[in-house]
Amino acid sequence: MEPSQFFNSNAGEYYGTDAGMGTVNELAARHIEKGVSGRVLSIGGLWPQHSPDAIAKLDLVVADVSEEMLRPHREAGISTVLDDARALSFEDESFDHVVLPLVLHHITEQSWRAARREVHEVLAEVGRVLKRGGRVWISEFAVRRPVYWAEALAAPATKLILGLAGIPLVVMHSSEFYYSALLREEFGEVESYYPNPADASWRDPIRPIIGLPWLKVPRGLYPVRPVVLSAKVAW
Ligand SMILES: C[S@@+](CC[C@H](N)C(=O)[O-])C[C@H]1O[C@@H](n2cnc3c(N)ncnc32)[C@H](O)[C@@H]1O
């Protein structure tokens, strides 16, 4: 199933819960909002826990492949565009900042290897639409390298199992992969921020898979680390 179809069917559920990540999302949102200004493109919806006051100061466009995921933003008066991160419809040098909020792990073409290639494709597109000196902001769940390689080996089986439940494959990349992809796509001045709420416990239940609302695991047993990477277009 394509992510657009999946999110069109699951938008209500997605917006109905923070999957146990509310405090992490809040820290990530405040970090992004401190950095962005001017004309901003947010691809794959908007960053969760966004502040209405902060976004009111931006000339903001939200893009997504799912009409249903865009609907709440359009109804809130935000400019929205049905668009694919891999082939954006915007002209070169149109934005001061581009935000990729929890979207890259969904762009996989149903294969671990293709997912890595597609991150490069998206970053190349982001580099194209950013103005000189503009910045990209990647909010993601990163995994450590051993988990990353285990994920690669398990990807065909994971795809099969998720496919039985009608859920597209997701691929959590490592911070190192994002870092090197940014450098190869001609970004520089890479900075990373790890949102780590003081009151979070390893026992806090999180819901790791959107399409399986009954599945809850303690945060400490789910081997992902939230990160916000930002980088400047190098040319
Ligand atoms: C997990 S949701 C994140 C939504 C929102 N950013 C948030 O963090 O609450 C991922 C979003 O990415 C969108 N998406 C998936 N593939 C995409 C693509 N190739 N281009 C643009 N958006 C995409 C999905 O439709 C979905 O709305």
Side-chain angles (χ1 to χ4, degrees):
M1 186 187 267
E2 285 291 310
S4 53
Q5 261 178 293
F6 175 76
F7 279 101
N8 277 337
S9 312
N10 289 276
E13 187 200 316
Y14 190 84
Y15 285 119
T17 172
D18 62 16
M21 300 301 276
T23 48
V24 167
N25 289 341
E26 239 179 71
L27 290 182
R30 298 300 82 76
H31 180 73
I32 293 167
E33 287 161 3
K34 244 191 280 164
V36 298
S37 57
R39 185 155 166 77
V40 177
L41 173 64
S42 186
I43 309 175
L46 206 44
W47 50 97
Q49 300 282 347
H50 58 270
S51 140
D53 287 348
I55 63 166
K57 295 186 189 127
L58 306 173
D59 178 5
L60 177 66
V61 181
V62 176
D64 201 296
V65 285
S66 159
E67 186 57 45
E68 286 305 313
M69 289 298 277
L70 285 175
R71 185 192 298 275
H73 305 309
R74 198 176 43 250
E75 288 175 356
I78 297 168
S79 163
T80 62
V81 177
L82 195 63
D83 216 354
D84 191 315
R86 296 163 292 188
L88 294 169
S89 60
F90 301 97
E91 293 192 356
D92 298 0
E93 299 181 48
S94 311
F95 294 95
D96 299 296
H97 293 265
V98 174
V99 187
L100 297 164
L102 304 177
V103 59
L104 285 174
H105 63 269
H106 290 284
I107 305 181
T108 68
E109 281 290 332
Q110 303 305 298
S111 122
W112 185 86
R113 196 183 286 269
R116 284 166 66 90
R117 192 186 60 233
E118 302 228 316
V119 167
H120 281 276
E121 265 179 48
V122 173
L123 292 179
E125 273 296 85
V126 168
R128 180 181 70 72
V129 301
L130 273 172
K131 292 180 190 168
R132 195 173 284 259
R135 282 194 92 83
V136 61
W137 298 79
I138 299 174
S139 179
E140 265 305 332
F141 300 122
V143 293
R144 297 201 189 271
R145 263 191 274 214
V147 176
Y148 194 38
W149 299 116
E151 210 188 336
L153 289 175
T158 312
K159 176 184 161 187
L160 197 75
I161 294 162
L162 289 179
L164 293 174
I167 301 170
L169 179 72
V170 295
V171 174
M172 307 296 185
H173 299 283
S174 64
S175 290
E176 292 83 1
F177 169 70
Y178 284 123
Y179 195 95
S180 72
L182 282 164
L183 296 184
R184 276 185 46 203
E185 296 305 329
E186 299 188 40
F187 287 87
E189 296 183 24
V190 186
E191 290 168 11
S192 47
Y193 166 70
Y194 291 93
N196 188 14
D199 57 352
S201 153
W202 72 271
R203 288 193 206 87
D204 294 342
I206 61 165
R207 289 178 34 189
I209 303 178
I210 301 167
L212 302 179
W214 46 265
L215 181 65
K216 291 187 185 161
V217 295
R219 185 192 300 266
L221 296 185
Y222 188 55
V224 300
R225 192 177 182 201
V227 63
V228 182
L229 290 156
S230 83
K232 191 170 174 180
V233 142
W235 53 272

PDB file of all heavy atoms in Angstrom, residues 60 70-80:
ATOM      1  N   LEU A  60       4.042  30.268   5.531  1.00  0.00           N
ATOM      2  CA  LEU A  60       4.161  28.801   5.598  1.00  0.00           C
ATOM      3  C   LEU A  60       3.354  28.079   4.515  1.00  0.00           C
ATOM      4  O   LEU A  60       2.203  28.443   4.248  1.00  0.00           O
ATOM      5  CB  LEU A  60       3.657  28.360   6.985  1.00  0.00           C
ATOM      6  CG  LEU A  60       3.598  26.871   7.287  1.00  0.00           C
ATOM      7  CD1 LEU A  60       5.004  26.262   7.335  1.00  0.00           C
ATOM      8  CD2 LEU A  60       2.900  26.639   8.639  1.00  0.00           C
ATOM      9  N   LEU A  70      -3.594  16.587   4.938  1.00  0.00           N
ATOM     10  CA  LEU A  70      -3.519  18.038   4.746  1.00  0.00           C
ATOM     11  C   LEU A  70      -4.758  18.756   5.285  1.00  0.00           C
ATOM     12  O   LEU A  70      -4.693  19.928   5.651  1.00  0.00           O
ATOM     13  CB  LEU A  70      -3.389  18.370   3.250  1.00  0.00           C
ATOM     14  CG  LEU A  70      -2.030  18.130   2.602  1.00  0.00           C
ATOM     15  CD1 LEU A  70      -2.106  18.383   1.099  1.00  0.00           C
ATOM     16  CD2 LEU A  70      -0.961  19.051   3.219  1.00  0.00           C
ATOM     17  N   ARG A  71      -5.876  18.031   5.321  1.00  0.00           N
ATOM     18  CA  ARG A  71      -7.158  18.670   5.615  1.00  0.00           C
ATOM     19  C   ARG A  71      -7.154  19.549   6.871  1.00  0.00           C
ATOM     20  O   ARG A  71      -7.575  20.724   6.815  1.00  0.00           O
ATOM     21  CB  ARG A  71      -8.273  17.619   5.712  1.00  0.00           C
ATOM     22  CG  ARG A  71      -9.657  18.203   5.885  1.00  0.00           C
ATOM     23  CD  ARG A  71     -10.647  17.130   6.269  1.00  0.00           C
ATOM     24  NE  ARG A  71     -10.782  16.117   5.252  1.00  0.00           N
ATOM     25  CZ  ARG A  71     -11.592  16.228   4.201  1.00  0.00           C
ATOM     26  NH1 ARG A  71     -12.349  17.295   4.072  1.00  0.00           N
ATOM     27  NH2 ARG A  71     -11.667  15.274   3.313  1.00  0.00           N
ATOM     28  N   PRO A  72      -6.678  19.052   8.056  1.00  0.00           N
ATOM     29  CA  PRO A  72      -6.727  19.902   9.257  1.00  0.00           C
ATOM     30  C   PRO A  72      -5.931  21.196   9.095  1.00  0.00           C
ATOM     31  O   PRO A  72      -6.315  22.230   9.635  1.00  0.00           O
ATOM     32  CB  PRO A  72      -6.101  19.035  10.363  1.00  0.00           C
ATOM     33  CG  PRO A  72      -6.051  17.669   9.830  1.00  0.00           C
ATOM     34  CD  PRO A  72      -6.112  17.727   8.345  1.00  0.00           C
ATOM     35  N   HIS A  73      -4.827  21.131   8.332  1.00  0.00           N
ATOM     36  CA  HIS A  73      -4.014  22.340   8.151  1.00  0.00           C
ATOM     37  C   HIS A  73      -4.756  23.343   7.264  1.00  0.00           C
ATOM     38  O   HIS A  73      -4.775  24.534   7.548  1.00  0.00           O
ATOM     39  CB  HIS A  73      -2.652  21.983   7.530  1.00  0.00           C
ATOM     40  CG  HIS A  73      -1.916  20.948   8.332  1.00  0.00           C
ATOM     41  ND1 HIS A  73      -1.707  21.080   9.693  1.00  0.00           N
ATOM     42  CD2 HIS A  73      -1.371  19.761   7.988  1.00  0.00           C
ATOM     43  CE1 HIS A  73      -1.069  20.020  10.135  1.00  0.00           C
ATOM     44  NE2 HIS A  73      -0.853  19.201   9.118  1.00  0.00           N
ATOM     45  N   ARG A  74      -5.382  22.799   6.194  1.00  0.00           N
ATOM     46  CA  ARG A  74      -6.133  23.697   5.300  1.00  0.00           C
ATOM     47  C   ARG A  74      -7.285  24.337   6.075  1.00  0.00           C
ATOM     48  O   ARG A  74      -7.536  25.529   5.971  1.00  0.00           O
ATOM     49  CB  ARG A  74      -6.646  22.911   4.098  1.00  0.00           C
ATOM     50  CG  ARG A  74      -7.041  23.815   2.950  1.00  0.00           C
ATOM     51  CD  ARG A  74      -7.455  23.078   1.706  1.00  0.00           C
ATOM     52  NE  ARG A  74      -8.313  21.953   1.951  1.00  0.00           N
ATOM     53  CZ  ARG A  74      -7.944  20.679   1.794  1.00  0.00           C
ATOM     54  NH1 ARG A  74      -6.738  20.378   1.385  1.00  0.00           N
ATOM     55  NH2 ARG A  74      -8.789  19.702   2.042  1.00  0.00           N
ATOM     56  N   GLU A  75      -7.952  23.518   6.912  1.00  0.00           N
ATOM     57  CA  GLU A  75      -9.088  24.046   7.677  1.00  0.00           C
ATOM     58  C   GLU A  75      -8.634  25.069   8.722  1.00  0.00           C
ATOM     59  O   GLU A  75      -9.413  25.900   9.151  1.00  0.00           O
ATOM     60  CB  GLU A  75      -9.860  22.887   8.326  1.00  0.00           C
ATOM     61  CG  GLU A  75     -10.633  22.106   7.257  1.00  0.00           C
ATOM     62  CD  GLU A  75     -11.347  20.859   7.775  1.00  0.00           C
ATOM     63  OE1 GLU A  75     -11.195  20.525   8.970  1.00  0.00           O
ATOM     64  OE2 GLU A  75     -12.036  20.226   6.964  1.00  0.00           O
ATOM     65  N   ALA A  76      -7.346  24.992   9.108  1.00  0.00           N
ATOM     66  CA  ALA A  76      -6.808  25.978  10.063  1.00  0.00           C
ATOM     67  C   ALA A  76      -6.309  27.232   9.336  1.00  0.00           C
ATOM     68  O   ALA A  76      -5.731  28.120   9.955  1.00  0.00           O
ATOM     69  CB  ALA A  76      -5.672  25.354  10.872  1.00  0.00           C
ATOM     70  N   GLY A  77      -6.515  27.266   8.012  1.00  0.00           N
ATOM     71  CA  GLY A  77      -6.160  28.477   7.257  1.00  0.00           C
ATOM     72  C   GLY A  77      -4.730  28.491   6.740  1.00  0.00           C
ATOM     73  O   GLY A  77      -4.248  29.518   6.255  1.00  0.00           O
ATOM     74  N   ILE A  78      -4.040  27.342   6.823  1.00  0.00           N
ATOM     75  CA  ILE A  78      -2.647  27.275   6.340  1.00  0.00           C
ATOM     76  C   ILE A  78      -2.672  26.910   4.856  1.00  0.00           C
ATOM     77  O   ILE A  78      -3.538  26.145   4.411  1.00  0.00           O
ATOM     78  CB  ILE A  78      -1.869  26.209   7.155  1.00  0.00           C
ATOM     79  CG1 ILE A  78      -1.803  26.626   8.635  1.00  0.00           C
ATOM     80  CG2 ILE A  78      -0.461  26.007   6.609  1.00  0.00           C
ATOM     81  CD1 ILE A  78      -1.326  25.534   9.564  1.00  0.00           C
ATOM     82  N   SER A  79      -1.713  27.445   4.120  1.00  0.00           N
ATOM     83  CA  SER A  79      -1.624  27.137   2.690  1.00  0.00           C
ATOM     84  C   SER A  79      -1.114  25.693   2.521  1.00  0.00           C
ATOM     85  O   SER A  79      -0.088  25.324   3.111  1.00  0.00           O
ATOM     86  CB  SER A  79      -0.671  28.155   2.066  1.00  0.00           C
ATOM     87  OG  SER A  79      -0.251  27.717   0.832  1.00  0.00           O
ATOM     88  N   THR A  80      -1.825  24.874   1.749  1.00  0.00           N
ATOM     89  CA  THR A  80      -1.440  23.462   1.591  1.00  0.00           C
ATOM     90  C   THR A  80      -1.302  23.100   0.111  1.00  0.00           C
ATOM     91  O   THR A  80      -1.981  23.696  -0.738  1.00  0.00           O
ATOM     92  CB  THR A  80      -2.485  22.509   2.223  1.00  0.00           C
ATOM     93  OG1 THR A  80      -3.723  22.688   1.552  1.00  0.00           O
ATOM     94  CG2 THR A  80      -2.655  22.749   3.702  1.00  0.00           C
TER      95      THR A  80
END
